[in-house]
Amino acid sequence: MPIVHIDLIEGRSPEQIKGMVKDVTEAIAKNTGAPQENVHIVLNEMNKDNYSVGGKLKSEQ
């Protein structure tokens, strides 16, 4: 049972999230041989105030 964790900054539409999990599920199943129904994906959408790059919060960029 593959478990995939994806951390991303908030702001994507439900359609984008749906497409992403579909594509990731297909890729994991293809490359591991696991049935798609056994692929688990955990999404963590982070607030822009809780993520920084280069010493600057994403909310400030």
Side-chain angles (χ1 to χ4, degrees), residues 42-57:
V42 179
L43 299 174
N44 178 33
E45 288 191 283
M46 298 174 285
N47 183 290
K48 291 179 181 181
D49 289 330
N50 296 331
Y51 187 81
S52 83
V53 175
K56 294 184 179 181
L57 293 173

PDB file of all heavy atoms in Angstrom, residues 42-57:
ATOM      1  N   VAL A  42      -1.948  11.764   0.888  1.00  0.00           N
ATOM      2  CA  VAL A  42      -2.227  12.698   1.977  1.00  0.00           C
ATOM      3  C   VAL A  42      -1.800  14.082   1.501  1.00  0.00           C
ATOM      4  O   VAL A  42      -0.635  14.305   1.182  1.00  0.00           O
ATOM      5  CB  VAL A  42      -1.451  12.314   3.253  1.00  0.00           C
ATOM      6  CG1 VAL A  42      -1.731  13.310   4.366  1.00  0.00           C
ATOM      7  CG2 VAL A  42      -1.775  10.890   3.679  1.00  0.00           C
ATOM      8  N   LEU A  43      -2.759  14.993   1.432  1.00  0.00           N
ATOM      9  CA  LEU A  43      -2.472  16.359   0.999  1.00  0.00           C
ATOM     10  C   LEU A  43      -2.386  17.284   2.201  1.00  0.00           C
ATOM     11  O   LEU A  43      -3.225  17.234   3.102  1.00  0.00           O
ATOM     12  CB  LEU A  43      -3.578  16.873   0.075  1.00  0.00           C
ATOM     13  CG  LEU A  43      -3.791  16.110  -1.223  1.00  0.00           C
ATOM     14  CD1 LEU A  43      -5.011  16.644  -1.949  1.00  0.00           C
ATOM     15  CD2 LEU A  43      -2.569  16.198  -2.104  1.00  0.00           C
ATOM     16  N   ASN A  44      -1.378  18.126   2.203  1.00  0.00           N
ATOM     17  CA  ASN A  44      -1.217  19.132   3.243  1.00  0.00           C
ATOM     18  C   ASN A  44      -1.111  20.479   2.548  1.00  0.00           C
ATOM     19  O   ASN A  44      -0.089  20.797   1.953  1.00  0.00           O
ATOM     20  CB  ASN A  44       0.030  18.855   4.082  1.00  0.00           C
ATOM     21  CG  ASN A  44       0.243  19.908   5.140  1.00  0.00           C
ATOM     22  OD1 ASN A  44      -0.696  20.469   5.685  1.00  0.00           O
ATOM     23  ND2 ASN A  44       1.505  20.183   5.444  1.00  0.00           N
ATOM     24  N   GLU A  45      -2.191  21.263   2.585  1.00  0.00           N
ATOM     25  CA  GLU A  45      -2.173  22.593   1.993  1.00  0.00           C
ATOM     26  C   GLU A  45      -1.764  23.597   3.062  1.00  0.00           C
ATOM     27  O   GLU A  45      -2.448  23.761   4.061  1.00  0.00           O
ATOM     28  CB  GLU A  45      -3.536  22.951   1.424  1.00  0.00           C
ATOM     29  CG  GLU A  45      -3.878  22.192   0.161  1.00  0.00           C
ATOM     30  CD  GLU A  45      -5.101  22.742  -0.512  1.00  0.00           C
ATOM     31  OE1 GLU A  45      -6.204  22.458  -0.014  1.00  0.00           O
ATOM     32  OE2 GLU A  45      -4.947  23.448  -1.515  1.00  0.00           O
ATOM     33  N   MET A  46      -0.634  24.237   2.824  1.00  0.00           N
ATOM     34  CA  MET A  46      -0.085  25.174   3.799  1.00  0.00           C
ATOM     35  C   MET A  46      -0.530  26.600   3.514  1.00  0.00           C
ATOM     36  O   MET A  46      -0.597  27.023   2.364  1.00  0.00           O
ATOM     37  CB  MET A  46       1.446  25.110   3.756  1.00  0.00           C
ATOM     38  CG  MET A  46       1.998  23.752   4.124  1.00  0.00           C
ATOM     39  SD  MET A  46       3.786  23.661   3.882  1.00  0.00           S
ATOM     40  CE  MET A  46       3.865  23.539   2.104  1.00  0.00           C
ATOM     41  N   ASN A  47      -0.790  27.327   4.571  1.00  0.00           N
ATOM     42  CA  ASN A  47      -1.084  28.735   4.488  1.00  0.00           C
ATOM     43  C   ASN A  47       0.186  29.474   4.081  1.00  0.00           C
ATOM     44  O   ASN A  47       1.275  29.137   4.535  1.00  0.00           O
ATOM     45  CB  ASN A  47      -1.590  29.202   5.860  1.00  0.00           C
ATOM     46  CG  ASN A  47      -1.996  30.634   5.866  1.00  0.00           C
ATOM     47  OD1 ASN A  47      -1.166  31.523   5.776  1.00  0.00           O
ATOM     48  ND2 ASN A  47      -3.291  30.856   5.986  1.00  0.00           N
ATOM     49  N   LYS A  48       0.048  30.501   3.246  1.00  0.00           N
ATOM     50  CA  LYS A  48       1.220  31.254   2.787  1.00  0.00           C
ATOM     51  C   LYS A  48       1.971  31.935   3.928  1.00  0.00           C
ATOM     52  O   LYS A  48       3.137  32.281   3.783  1.00  0.00           O
ATOM     53  CB  LYS A  48       0.808  32.287   1.738  1.00  0.00           C
ATOM     54  CG  LYS A  48       0.364  31.657   0.443  1.00  0.00           C
ATOM     55  CD  LYS A  48      -0.072  32.705  -0.563  1.00  0.00           C
ATOM     56  CE  LYS A  48      -0.540  32.033  -1.845  1.00  0.00           C
ATOM     57  NZ  LYS A  48      -0.946  33.023  -2.846  1.00  0.00           N
ATOM     58  N   ASP A  49       1.307  32.129   5.072  1.00  0.00           N
ATOM     59  CA  ASP A  49       1.969  32.717   6.238  1.00  0.00           C
ATOM     60  C   ASP A  49       2.817  31.696   6.984  1.00  0.00           C
ATOM     61  O   ASP A  49       3.564  32.056   7.891  1.00  0.00           O
ATOM     62  CB  ASP A  49       0.940  33.299   7.212  1.00  0.00           C
ATOM     63  CG  ASP A  49       0.276  34.554   6.676  1.00  0.00           C
ATOM     64  OD1 ASP A  49       0.923  35.299   5.907  1.00  0.00           O
ATOM     65  OD2 ASP A  49      -0.895  34.794   7.033  1.00  0.00           O
ATOM     66  N   ASN A  50       2.692  30.434   6.635  1.00  0.00           N
ATOM     67  CA  ASN A  50       3.410  29.369   7.340  1.00  0.00           C
ATOM     68  C   ASN A  50       4.476  28.709   6.479  1.00  0.00           C
ATOM     69  O   ASN A  50       4.893  27.589   6.758  1.00  0.00           O
ATOM     70  CB  ASN A  50       2.412  28.299   7.815  1.00  0.00           C
ATOM     71  CG  ASN A  50       1.438  28.830   8.831  1.00  0.00           C
ATOM     72  OD1 ASN A  50       1.750  29.752   9.578  1.00  0.00           O
ATOM     73  ND2 ASN A  50       0.253  28.280   8.853  1.00  0.00           N
ATOM     74  N   TYR A  51       4.915  29.399   5.419  1.00  0.00           N
ATOM     75  CA  TYR A  51       5.924  28.828   4.526  1.00  0.00           C
ATOM     76  C   TYR A  51       6.819  29.951   4.031  1.00  0.00           C
ATOM     77  O   TYR A  51       6.335  31.022   3.640  1.00  0.00           O
ATOM     78  CB  TYR A  51       5.243  28.136   3.335  1.00  0.00           C
ATOM     79  CG  TYR A  51       6.187  27.376   2.461  1.00  0.00           C
ATOM     80  CD1 TYR A  51       6.615  26.100   2.821  1.00  0.00           C
ATOM     81  CD2 TYR A  51       6.671  27.920   1.291  1.00  0.00           C
ATOM     82  CE1 TYR A  51       7.497  25.394   2.029  1.00  0.00           C
ATOM     83  CE2 TYR A  51       7.551  27.216   0.489  1.00  0.00           C
ATOM     84  CZ  TYR A  51       7.957  25.956   0.856  1.00  0.00           C
ATOM     85  OH  TYR A  51       8.834  25.264   0.067  1.00  0.00           O
ATOM     86  N   SER A  52       8.117  29.712   4.054  1.00  0.00           N
ATOM     87  CA  SER A  52       9.028  30.746   3.568  1.00  0.00           C
ATOM     88  C   SER A  52      10.075  30.149   2.647  1.00  0.00           C
ATOM     89  O   SER A  52      10.421  28.970   2.732  1.00  0.00           O
ATOM     90  CB  SER A  52       9.704  31.480   4.723  1.00  0.00           C
ATOM     91  OG  SER A  52      10.815  30.760   5.198  1.00  0.00           O
ATOM     92  N   VAL A  53      10.560  30.993   1.751  1.00  0.00           N
ATOM     93  CA  VAL A  53      11.656  30.647   0.848  1.00  0.00           C
ATOM     94  C   VAL A  53      12.627  31.811   0.869  1.00  0.00           C
ATOM     95  O   VAL A  53      12.225  32.973   0.717  1.00  0.00           O
ATOM     96  CB  VAL A  53      11.138  30.404  -0.600  1.00  0.00           C
ATOM     97  CG1 VAL A  53      12.309  30.159  -1.549  1.00  0.00           C
ATOM     98  CG2 VAL A  53      10.159  29.246  -0.641  1.00  0.00           C
ATOM     99  N   GLY A  54      13.885  31.521   1.081  1.00  0.00           N
ATOM    100  CA  GLY A  54      14.895  32.572   1.075  1.00  0.00           C
ATOM    101  C   GLY A  54      14.706  33.610   2.153  1.00  0.00           C
ATOM    102  O   GLY A  54      15.058  34.772   1.982  1.00  0.00           O
ATOM    103  N   GLY A  55      14.120  33.198   3.275  1.00  0.00           N
ATOM    104  CA  GLY A  55      13.946  34.111   4.396  1.00  0.00           C
ATOM    105  C   GLY A  55      12.731  35.008   4.295  1.00  0.00           C
ATOM    106  O   GLY A  55      12.546  35.902   5.125  1.00  0.00           O
ATOM    107  N   LYS A  56      11.873  34.795   3.267  1.00  0.00           N
ATOM    108  CA  LYS A  56      10.685  35.613   3.113  1.00  0.00           C
ATOM    109  C   LYS A  56       9.451  34.698   3.086  1.00  0.00           C
ATOM    110  O   LYS A  56       9.443  33.680   2.429  1.00  0.00           O
ATOM    111  CB  LYS A  56      10.729  36.412   1.813  1.00  0.00           C
ATOM    112  CG  LYS A  56      11.814  37.452   1.786  1.00  0.00           C
ATOM    113  CD  LYS A  56      11.739  38.271   0.515  1.00  0.00           C
ATOM    114  CE  LYS A  56      12.841  39.322   0.537  1.00  0.00           C
ATOM    115  NZ  LYS A  56      12.796  40.150  -0.678  1.00  0.00           N
ATOM    116  N   LEU A  57       8.428  35.116   3.826  1.00  0.00           N
ATOM    117  CA  LEU A  57       7.181  34.379   3.807  1.00  0.00           C
ATOM    118  C   LEU A  57       6.577  34.457   2.413  1.00  0.00           C
ATOM    119  O   LEU A  57       6.663  35.490   1.736  1.00  0.00           O
ATOM    120  CB  LEU A  57       6.189  34.943   4.828  1.00  0.00           C
ATOM    121  CG  LEU A  57       6.565  34.771   6.301  1.00  0.00           C
ATOM    122  CD1 LEU A  57       5.576  35.532   7.176  1.00  0.00           C
ATOM    123  CD2 LEU A  57       6.582  33.297   6.666  1.00  0.00           C
TER     124      LEU A  57
END
